[in-house]
Amino acid sequence: MRKPWTVSVVLAAALLGACADPSSEPGTEPPPPTSPQPSATTHQRPAATAVDPPTVLYLGDSLATENQEVLGRELRARVRARYTSAPHSGTTLCDYLEGSAGRSLVPAPDKAAALVRSLRPDHVVLQFWGNSWGYTPCMDEITYDASPERYLRRYAADARRLAEQIRSAGGSRAPRIVWVLQGPDPIAPDRVRRVNALYEERAAAFGDLVADAGKAVSPAGARYTWARYLPCDAYERAHPDYCTQPGHDRTALHREDDPLHFCLAPTTSAPKPCPVRSPGILRIAREITRVIEEDLRAD
């Protein structure tokens, strides 16, 4: 465990495994509800100005669970996306591999390749913080704390296999994978740096995309330094509901009792999308959307 944080691995596992099932607090207004449904997509990946909108599939863990409605809202507004999300809290890359159904937290219909075959997405967004304590059975109890190098080797192998399954499922129309880089890890600061490096290597090797959403929730000039508050950005100043402490020109990214998630409502046991305005979630969603929008314009 790394100081000064006293968050235990057990607490962290509970937080990541039980993501946000928050209830709205007084004075808060939840984001507009969305009900993403699987949709047929086009036969060619369209540009942002095309008549037919792109199809985007979003997979991930508890961070994706809390983000999913906000990301859908941003993608629909910016690129008119047909959007489907299928995150599962407590998961990591191996949970989405086909062939792991008996030892996985993800049911067979929600495996990445199965969804790609069904939805034919243009982009598959993968957002995984990197389960590092063996919470999910498919990790075979390999943990970063016990064996960092073994964990990273296994994580790299799972990233390669998952990308291969996604591309194979897409056939001649393989989707672009968007690897979402994670924000600072308050427990093991170097872990997420190395996990992000694996994502960048996969993207560089196969022409995939990288969305550095983690930079949007990191201090300027200190990419891997964890912070509970950051200065309000231009968007947050223009939309005061997202600048939580305007008198100090700073906004909250995390609750006092949860250094890992970005939902500003309490975390409980049943995972749900975050129901309250949360600056960190919006920052992450806007960066993912920006990368997809730029990719569509480049086509």
Side-chain angles (χ1 to χ4, degrees), residues 142-217:
I142 299 172
T143 65
Y144 184 84
D145 188 60
S147 180
E149 298 307 319
R150 186 182 179 202
Y151 163 85
L152 290 165
R153 286 195 300 271
R154 170 60 186 275
Y155 205 79
D158 288 343
R160 181 180 65 253
R161 287 183 61 202
L162 185 60
E164 289 171 351
Q165 288 190 1
I166 289 171
R167 293 190 187 94
S168 178
S172 61
R173 300 188 55 259
R176 295 291 295 274
I177 297 174
V178 182
W179 297 94
V180 180
L181 304 190
Q182 302 305 293
D185 183 344
I187 300 169
D190 195 50
R191 185 199 64 83
V192 78
R193 184 197 306 267
R194 300 181 71 181
V195 166
N196 283 347
L198 293 177
Y199 294 157
E200 291 178 299
E201 289 170 8
R202 298 309 308 166
F206 291 95
D208 293 330
L209 302 173
V210 171
D212 194 357
K215 184 177 181 180
V217 291

Side-chain angles (χ1 to χ4, degrees), residues 98-124:
E98 289 192 323
S100 65
R103 302 173 53 257
S104 170
L105 301 179
V106 174
D110 282 359
K111 298 295 187 183
L115 288 171
V116 169
R117 285 191 291 268
S118 172
L119 300 171
R120 313 302 293 175
D122 301 288
H123 293 84
V124 177

Side-chain angles (χ1 to χ4, degrees), residues 65-133:
T65 298
E66 68 180 8
N67 295 348
Q68 60 185 310
E69 289 190 352
V70 176
L71 179 59
R73 185 186 73 205
E74 292 297 310
L75 285 168
R76 291 186 184 99
R78 298 291 300 176
V79 299
R80 301 182 299 111
R82 296 170 177 171
Y83 171 78
T84 299
S85 59
H88 290 267
S89 292
T91 60
T92 193
L93 299 173
C94 59
D95 286 288
Y96 281 88
L97 288 169
E98 289 192 323
S100 65
R103 302 173 53 257
S104 170
L105 301 179
V106 174
D110 282 359
K111 298 295 187 183
L115 288 171
V116 169
R117 285 191 291 268
S118 172
L119 300 171
R120 313 302 293 175
D122 301 288
H123 293 84
V124 177
V125 181
L126 301 177
Q127 181 168 9
F128 291 90
W129 183 84
N131 185 310
S132 60
W133 45 72

